[in-house]
Amino acid sequence: MLIDIVSSILLLGGALFCAVGAFGLLRFPDLLSRLQAATKPQTVGLLMVLAGVALQLRIVDAVGLVLVALLQVVTAPVLSQLVGRAAYRIGAVDRSSLLHDDLGDRLRREGVPTPKGRPGDR
């Protein structure tokens, strides 16, 4: 009985996190904010859903869900980082919205030209 309640809370909470992430993906104005909305709440939401499902399964069957969770935790931030870096390098990021431009500083030190961010990009 208690396991069913905890599982239900995790499933509903995970679904809510995923919905909030999808809403943020639609509503945020720029690429970097959308990347944030696409990775953090979606990853937490999936982990909560997987935990809720795992509580309803036998231990042997839940081991596969641990592998899914591990894959998500490892790949989502890396993919987000690579997409953000690629967008920065092609000039799709409005640099005036950045508080501190670490990548730009590093690229300038290395002598790599950085394109200007387009302020009107959305």
Side-chain angles (χ1 to χ4, degrees):
M1 181 70 177
L2 181 63
I3 289 178
D4 292 337
I5 293 171
V6 172
S7 179
S8 298
I9 291 171
L10 285 170
L11 288 169
L12 289 172
L16 182 66
F17 264 88
C18 290
V20 167
F23 183 72
L25 197 60
L26 294 173
R27 296 292 300 165
F28 283 147
D30 62 340
L31 178 81
L32 297 179
S33 298
R34 288 180 182 160
L35 280 174
Q36 191 82 346
T39 53
K40 291 194 181 197
Q42 298 293 343
T43 301
V44 172
L46 178 66
L47 293 177
M48 289 175 71
V49 167
L50 291 174
V53 171
L55 289 175
Q56 297 296 319
L57 298 175
R58 295 178 305 168
I59 297 292
V60 175
D61 298 330
V63 171
L65 296 179
V66 172
L67 295 174
V68 171
L70 186 62
L71 185 69
Q72 176 70 21
V73 167
V74 169
T75 58
V78 172
L79 182 61
S80 176
Q81 172 79 18
L82 292 175
V83 169
R85 183 177 287 240
Y88 183 93
R89 285 182 175 244
I90 66 169
V93 174
D94 178 16
R95 299 213 173 99
S96 65
S97 66
L98 300 176
L99 295 177
H100 186 70
D101 190 2
D102 289 326
L103 181 58
D105 294 343
R106 184 174 146 223
L107 292 175
R108 279 189 289 284
R109 277 194 312 269
E110 294 175 359
V112 177
T114 58
K116 298 279 186 215
R118 297 179 297 233
D121 282 350
R122 296 235 178 240

